[in-house]
Amino acid sequence: MSLGGRLRSWHPRTPPLPQDLADLVRPDDPEWFARELAIAVAPPWWLWRLLLRRFSWLVSIFGRVEVTGSIPEELRRGPLLLAANHIGDFDPFVVAVALARLGVMPRIMATGGIMSAPVAGPLLERTGAIRVERGTELARHAVRVTEVALVHGGHVVAYPEGRVGLAPDFWPERGRTGMARLALGLRVPVIPVSQWGAHEVLQYGNDWGKLRTLVRAVVRRPVLRVHVGPPVHFDDLQMGRVGDANRARVRIAAALTRGLRPLRVGELDAPAFADPTRPTTAVAAFPGGVVPEDIP
Protein backbone atom coordinates (compact mmCIF):
# COMPACT_ATOMS: atom_id res chain seq x y z
CA MET A 1 0.00 0.00 0.00
CA SER A 2 1.26 3.49 -0.83
CA LEU A 3 2.14 6.03 1.87
CA GLY A 4 -0.99 8.03 1.01
CA GLY A 5 -3.12 4.92 1.33
CA ARG A 6 -1.60 4.06 4.72
CA LEU A 7 -2.23 7.58 5.99
CA ARG A 8 -5.85 7.51 4.83
CA SER A 9 -6.49 4.20 6.60
CA TRP A 10 -4.45 4.86 9.76
CA HIS A 11 -6.09 4.81 13.21
CA PRO A 12 -4.59 4.89 16.71
CA ARG A 13 -5.01 1.71 18.71
CA THR A 14 -8.58 1.39 19.98
CA PRO A 15 -9.35 0.18 23.54
CA PRO A 16 -11.11 -3.20 23.80
CA LEU A 17 -14.89 -3.12 23.51
CA PRO A 18 -16.70 -4.69 26.50
CA GLN A 19 -18.91 -7.62 25.54
CA ASP A 20 -22.12 -5.97 26.75
CA LEU A 21 -21.50 -3.12 24.30
CA ALA A 22 -20.30 -5.42 21.51
CA ASP A 23 -23.79 -6.94 21.57
CA LEU A 24 -25.18 -3.51 20.59
CA VAL A 25 -23.22 -3.42 17.33
CA ARG A 26 -25.06 -4.75 14.30
CA PRO A 27 -23.59 -5.89 10.97
CA ASP A 28 -25.10 -2.91 9.13
CA ASP A 29 -23.70 -0.32 11.56
CA PRO A 30 -20.84 1.87 10.24
CA GLU A 31 -17.36 0.56 11.01
CA TRP A 32 -16.55 3.49 13.30
CA PHE A 33 -19.49 2.84 15.65
CA ALA A 34 -17.79 0.03 17.59
CA ARG A 35 -14.61 2.10 17.92
CA GLU A 36 -16.47 5.09 19.32
CA LEU A 37 -18.34 2.90 21.81
CA ALA A 38 -15.03 1.42 23.02
CA ILE A 39 -13.47 4.88 23.39
CA ALA A 40 -16.58 6.20 25.17
CA VAL A 41 -16.19 3.73 28.05
CA ALA A 42 -12.40 4.03 28.33
CA PRO A 43 -10.60 6.63 30.47
CA PRO A 44 -9.45 9.77 28.59
CA TRP A 45 -6.56 8.97 26.24
CA TRP A 46 -3.15 9.68 27.80
CA LEU A 47 -2.08 11.69 24.75
CA TRP A 48 -5.21 13.87 24.97
CA ARG A 49 -4.51 14.55 28.65
CA LEU A 50 -0.90 15.39 27.84
CA LEU A 51 -1.86 17.79 25.03
CA LEU A 52 -4.38 19.64 27.19
CA ARG A 53 -2.05 19.89 30.19
CA ARG A 54 1.29 20.61 28.50
CA PHE A 55 0.53 22.05 25.08
CA SER A 56 -2.61 24.13 25.53
CA TRP A 57 -0.37 27.18 25.07
CA LEU A 58 -0.54 26.48 21.33
CA VAL A 59 -4.10 27.85 21.29
CA SER A 60 -2.77 31.03 22.91
CA ILE A 61 -0.72 31.72 19.78
CA PHE A 62 -3.96 32.83 18.14
CA GLY A 63 -5.43 34.80 21.05
CA ARG A 64 -5.43 35.43 24.78
CA VAL A 65 -7.57 32.81 26.51
CA GLU A 66 -9.51 34.14 29.51
CA VAL A 67 -11.63 31.74 31.58
CA THR A 68 -14.16 32.71 34.24
CA GLY A 69 -16.50 30.60 36.34
CA SER A 70 -15.86 27.15 37.77
CA ILE A 71 -17.18 23.59 37.98
CA PRO A 72 -17.54 22.20 41.52
CA GLU A 73 -15.42 19.16 42.25
CA GLU A 74 -18.45 17.03 43.12
CA LEU A 75 -19.82 17.63 39.61
CA ARG A 76 -16.48 16.90 37.95
CA ARG A 77 -16.50 13.45 39.54
CA GLY A 78 -19.63 12.45 37.60
CA PRO A 79 -21.06 12.71 34.10
CA LEU A 80 -21.56 16.17 32.63
CA LEU A 81 -23.17 17.66 29.56
CA LEU A 82 -21.41 20.90 28.71
CA ALA A 83 -23.54 23.10 26.46
CA ALA A 84 -21.55 25.62 24.41
CA ASN A 85 -22.63 28.29 21.96
CA HIS A 86 -20.99 27.67 18.59
CA ILE A 87 -19.45 30.78 17.01
CA GLY A 88 -16.80 29.42 14.66
CA ASP A 89 -14.53 26.57 13.60
CA PHE A 90 -11.82 27.49 16.12
CA ASP A 91 -13.97 27.52 19.22
CA PRO A 92 -13.76 23.76 19.99
CA PHE A 93 -10.04 24.25 20.69
CA VAL A 94 -10.71 27.23 22.94
CA VAL A 95 -13.47 25.42 24.83
CA ALA A 96 -11.30 22.31 25.30
CA VAL A 97 -8.42 24.36 26.72
CA ALA A 98 -10.73 26.37 28.98
CA LEU A 99 -12.39 23.25 30.39
CA ALA A 100 -9.04 21.55 30.95
CA ARG A 101 -8.03 24.52 33.09
CA LEU A 102 -11.11 23.84 35.20
CA GLY A 103 -10.29 20.14 35.65
CA VAL A 104 -12.45 18.64 32.90
CA MET A 105 -11.24 16.30 30.13
CA PRO A 106 -13.84 17.02 27.42
CA ARG A 107 -15.25 14.69 24.78
CA ILE A 108 -16.43 16.99 22.00
CA MET A 109 -19.19 16.33 19.49
CA ALA A 110 -17.89 16.94 15.95
CA THR A 111 -19.34 16.83 12.45
CA GLY A 112 -18.92 13.72 10.36
CA GLY A 113 -16.90 15.61 7.74
CA ILE A 114 -14.14 16.47 10.20
CA MET A 115 -14.16 13.00 11.71
CA SER A 116 -13.76 11.43 8.26
CA ALA A 117 -10.62 13.42 7.41
CA PRO A 118 -7.38 11.39 7.19
CA VAL A 119 -5.14 11.47 10.30
CA ALA A 120 -6.96 14.39 11.98
CA GLY A 121 -10.25 12.49 12.08
CA PRO A 122 -8.85 9.32 13.73
CA LEU A 123 -6.93 11.46 16.23
CA LEU A 124 -10.09 13.37 17.14
CA GLU A 125 -12.00 10.11 17.45
CA ARG A 126 -9.37 8.70 19.81
CA THR A 127 -9.61 11.77 22.06
CA GLY A 128 -13.24 10.82 22.66
CA ALA A 129 -14.82 13.10 20.08
CA ILE A 130 -18.29 11.90 19.06
CA ARG A 131 -19.22 11.84 15.39
CA VAL A 132 -22.47 13.58 14.45
CA GLU A 133 -23.80 12.79 10.97
CA ARG A 134 -26.39 15.55 10.81
CA GLY A 135 -29.46 15.06 8.70
CA THR A 136 -28.94 11.32 8.22
CA GLU A 137 -30.20 8.16 9.86
CA LEU A 138 -26.70 7.71 11.30
CA ALA A 139 -27.33 10.63 13.68
CA ARG A 140 -28.87 8.16 16.14
CA HIS A 141 -25.44 6.59 16.61
CA ALA A 142 -24.17 9.85 18.13
CA VAL A 143 -26.96 9.69 20.69
CA ARG A 144 -26.06 6.12 21.62
CA VAL A 145 -22.33 6.89 21.95
CA THR A 146 -23.10 9.98 24.03
CA GLU A 147 -25.37 7.98 26.33
CA VAL A 148 -22.64 5.38 26.83
CA ALA A 149 -20.02 8.06 27.53
CA LEU A 150 -22.28 9.76 30.10
CA VAL A 151 -23.23 6.52 31.83
CA HIS A 152 -19.51 5.89 32.28
CA GLY A 153 -18.89 9.33 33.79
CA GLY A 154 -17.80 11.18 30.66
CA HIS A 155 -17.75 14.96 30.20
CA VAL A 156 -19.36 15.61 26.82
CA VAL A 157 -19.29 18.99 25.08
CA ALA A 158 -22.21 19.55 22.73
CA TYR A 159 -23.56 22.47 20.75
CA PRO A 160 -27.32 22.83 21.32
CA GLU A 161 -27.59 24.89 18.12
CA GLY A 162 -26.34 21.90 16.13
CA ARG A 163 -24.11 24.12 13.96
CA VAL A 164 -22.27 27.43 13.95
CA GLY A 165 -24.92 29.97 14.96
CA LEU A 166 -26.22 32.10 12.10
CA ALA A 167 -28.24 34.76 13.91
CA PRO A 168 -27.35 38.25 12.56
CA ASP A 169 -26.40 39.53 16.03
CA PHE A 170 -24.43 36.35 16.93
CA TRP A 171 -26.58 35.59 19.99
CA PRO A 172 -27.28 31.85 20.49
CA GLU A 173 -30.15 30.28 18.62
CA ARG A 174 -32.78 28.28 20.48
CA GLY A 175 -31.29 25.11 19.05
CA ARG A 176 -32.69 21.60 19.07
CA THR A 177 -34.04 19.39 21.82
CA GLY A 178 -31.43 16.62 21.57
CA MET A 179 -29.30 17.79 24.50
CA ALA A 180 -32.38 18.58 26.56
CA ARG A 181 -33.73 15.05 26.03
CA LEU A 182 -30.40 13.49 27.01
CA ALA A 183 -30.24 15.58 30.17
CA LEU A 184 -33.81 14.78 31.17
CA GLY A 185 -33.55 11.09 30.29
CA LEU A 186 -30.27 10.44 32.12
CA ARG A 187 -30.66 13.19 34.76
CA VAL A 188 -27.21 14.51 33.91
CA PRO A 189 -26.23 18.07 34.90
CA VAL A 190 -26.01 20.57 32.04
CA ILE A 191 -23.29 23.21 32.44
CA PRO A 192 -23.54 26.28 30.14
CA VAL A 193 -20.26 27.27 28.48
CA SER A 194 -20.56 30.72 26.93
CA GLN A 195 -17.70 31.90 24.74
CA TRP A 196 -16.72 34.84 22.58
CA GLY A 197 -13.78 35.82 20.37
CA ALA A 198 -12.95 32.55 18.63
CA HIS A 199 -14.97 33.66 15.58
CA GLU A 200 -12.15 36.13 14.83
CA VAL A 201 -9.55 33.36 14.37
CA LEU A 202 -11.18 31.47 11.49
CA GLN A 203 -13.78 32.97 9.20
CA TYR A 204 -16.94 31.01 8.42
CA GLY A 205 -16.32 30.50 4.69
CA ASN A 206 -14.08 27.65 3.55
CA ASP A 207 -11.72 29.51 1.26
CA TRP A 208 -8.31 31.21 1.45
CA GLY A 209 -9.85 33.77 3.76
CA LYS A 210 -9.54 31.20 6.56
CA LEU A 211 -5.76 31.42 6.30
CA ARG A 212 -5.94 35.22 6.20
CA THR A 213 -7.97 35.43 9.40
CA LEU A 214 -5.69 32.86 11.07
CA VAL A 215 -2.60 34.94 10.31
CA ARG A 216 -4.43 38.09 11.38
CA ALA A 217 -5.24 36.47 14.72
CA VAL A 218 -1.57 35.62 15.32
CA VAL A 219 -0.70 39.29 14.84
CA ARG A 220 -3.66 40.84 16.71
CA ARG A 221 -4.21 38.08 19.30
CA PRO A 222 -7.88 38.69 20.06
CA VAL A 223 -9.22 37.92 23.52
CA LEU A 224 -10.82 34.45 23.57
CA ARG A 225 -13.26 34.58 26.47
CA VAL A 226 -14.98 31.56 28.04
CA HIS A 227 -17.41 31.67 30.95
CA VAL A 228 -18.66 28.52 32.67
CA GLY A 229 -21.93 29.11 34.48
CA PRO A 230 -23.88 27.20 37.14
CA PRO A 231 -25.88 24.08 36.17
CA VAL A 232 -29.17 24.69 34.38
CA HIS A 233 -32.19 24.02 36.58
CA PHE A 234 -34.32 21.04 35.41
CA ASP A 235 -35.65 19.75 38.74
CA ASP A 236 -39.27 20.51 37.82
CA LEU A 237 -39.07 18.89 34.37
CA GLN A 238 -39.60 15.26 33.34
CA MET A 239 -38.59 13.23 30.32
CA GLY A 240 -41.63 12.36 28.21
CA ARG A 241 -43.95 14.99 29.61
CA VAL A 242 -45.36 17.17 26.86
CA GLY A 243 -43.46 20.42 26.47
CA ASP A 244 -40.71 19.72 28.99
CA ALA A 245 -37.97 19.03 26.42
CA ASN A 246 -38.77 22.37 24.81
CA ARG A 247 -38.72 24.12 28.20
CA ALA A 248 -35.31 22.58 28.91
CA ARG A 249 -34.03 23.71 25.50
CA VAL A 250 -35.15 27.28 26.18
CA ARG A 251 -33.47 27.26 29.60
CA ILE A 252 -30.19 26.12 28.07
CA ALA A 253 -30.32 28.92 25.49
CA ALA A 254 -31.17 31.40 28.26
CA ALA A 255 -28.22 30.29 30.40
CA LEU A 256 -25.83 30.57 27.45
CA THR A 257 -27.15 34.02 26.60
CA ARG A 258 -26.87 35.29 30.18
CA GLY A 259 -23.30 34.03 30.42
CA LEU A 260 -22.42 35.61 27.09
CA ARG A 261 -23.55 39.16 27.93
CA PRO A 262 -20.53 40.11 30.09
CA LEU A 263 -18.18 38.63 27.46
CA ARG A 264 -19.62 40.91 24.78
CA VAL A 265 -19.36 44.29 26.48
CA GLY A 266 -19.30 46.89 23.71
CA GLU A 267 -20.59 44.34 21.18
CA LEU A 268 -24.11 43.67 22.43
CA ASP A 269 -25.84 44.78 19.23
CA ALA A 270 -23.40 43.32 16.71
CA PRO A 271 -19.90 41.81 16.73
CA ALA A 272 -16.99 44.19 16.11
CA PHE A 273 -15.42 41.60 13.79
CA ALA A 274 -17.23 41.59 10.45
CA ASP A 275 -17.27 38.26 8.57
CA PRO A 276 -18.86 38.70 5.12
CA THR A 277 -18.69 34.93 4.47
CA ARG A 278 -21.06 34.13 7.34
CA PRO A 279 -24.77 33.76 6.46
CA THR A 280 -27.29 35.53 8.69
CA THR A 281 -30.29 33.31 8.08
CA ALA A 282 -31.32 32.37 11.62
CA VAL A 283 -33.00 34.03 14.58
CA ALA A 284 -31.51 34.26 18.06
CA ALA A 285 -33.41 32.69 20.93
CA PHE A 286 -33.15 36.02 22.73
CA PRO A 287 -32.36 38.81 20.23
CA GLY A 288 -30.02 41.42 21.61
CA GLY A 289 -29.11 39.10 24.46
CA VAL A 290 -32.16 40.13 26.51
CA VAL A 291 -33.54 37.18 28.51
CA PRO A 292 -36.98 37.68 30.11
CA GLU A 293 -37.01 37.49 33.89
CA ASP A 294 -39.74 34.82 33.92
CA ILE A 295 -37.42 32.20 32.36
CA PRO A 296 -35.77 30.13 35.13
Side-chain angles (χ1 to χ4, degrees):
M1 183 183 294
S2 67
L3 176 60
R6 288 198 296 270
L7 285 175
R8 285 191 293 272
S9 61
W10 175 82
H11 283 84
R13 181 174 296 179
T14 303
L17 181 64
Q19 186 57 50
D20 59 329
L21 293 180
D23 294 339
L24 299 177
V25 182
R26 300 179 178 181
D28 58 342
D29 284 329
E31 50 86 23
W32 47 261
F33 182 51
R35 290 199 308 269
E36 290 200 11
L37 286 175
I39 293 168
V41 302
W45 192 24
W46 68 267
L47 182 57
W48 183 227
R49 297 197 305 269
L50 177 67
L51 288 172
L52 288 175
R53 289 172 178 167
R54 301 297 184 186
F55 296 94
S56 60
W57 58 268
L58 290 170
V59 171
S60 298
I61 293 174
F62 305 99
R64 294 161 286 163
V65 180
E66 295 182 356
V67 185
T68 55
S70 63
I71 302 175
E73 182 180 355
E74 62 270 19
L75 291 182
R76 298 198 305 269
R77 288 197 293 263
L80 288 175
L81 271 169
L82 299 128
N85 60 311
H86 202 359
I87 58 175
D89 291 341
F90 193 71
D91 68 48
F93 302 102
V94 179
V95 168
V97 167
L99 292 175
R101 289 185 183 181
L102 299 179
V104 167
M105 291 289 111
R107 301 175 184 265
I108 300 176
M109 287 189 166
T111 62
I114 295 173
M115 298 288 282
S116 297
V119 183
L123 284 173
L124 276 174
E125 181 183 81
R126 188 61 185 86
T127 68
I130 298 170
R131 183 189 310 250
V132 182
E133 298 284 359
R134 298 190 184 109
T136 74
E137 63 179 15
L138 295 179
R140 60 186 172 83
H141 290 79
V143 176
R144 178 59 61 86
V145 174
T146 303
E147 289 174 339
V148 168
L150 292 171
V151 167
H152 288 81
H155 302 151
V156 178
V157 177
Y159 296 101
E161 296 164 283
R163 63 180 183 189
V164 173
L166 300 180
D169 55 6
F170 276 46
W171 291 101
E173 299 172 30
R174 181 167 296 185
R176 306 178 184 183
T177 60
M179 173 176 280
R181 294 179 187 278
L182 276 170
L184 294 179
L186 298 176
R187 308 312 296 185
V188 174
V190 173
I191 305 293
V193 181
S194 305
Q195 44 107 15
W196 189 248
H199 59 292
E200 298 189 34
V201 179
L202 289 173
Q203 71 168 30
Y204 181 90
N206 292 316
D207 56 33
W208 284 104
K210 261 189 162 52
L211 178 60
R212 183 177 62 253
T213 53
L214 190 69
V215 172
R216 178 178 179 269
V218 172
V219 175
R220 295 187 66 251
R221 299 194 69 242
V223 181
L224 311 175
R225 299 183 175 94
V226 179
H227 176 72
V228 178
V232 184
H233 169 63
F234 294 143
D235 292 346
D236 59 326
L237 304 182
Q238 297 178 17
M239 181 62 180
R241 189 164 65 187
V242 175
D244 276 10
N246 184 62
R247 293 183 187 96
R249 170 179 63 169
V250 171
R251 292 182 188 181
I252 293 170
L256 286 172
T257 302
R258 291 189 187 107
L260 187 56
R261 281 190 66 86
L263 308 185
R264 290 187 56 168
V265 173
E267 301 180 69
L268 295 179
D269 295 328
F273 174 74
D275 183 355
T277 71
R278 186 185 188 123
T280 54
T281 55
V283 177
F286 303 99
V290 179
V291 179
E293 294 183 359
D294 60 348
I295 294 178

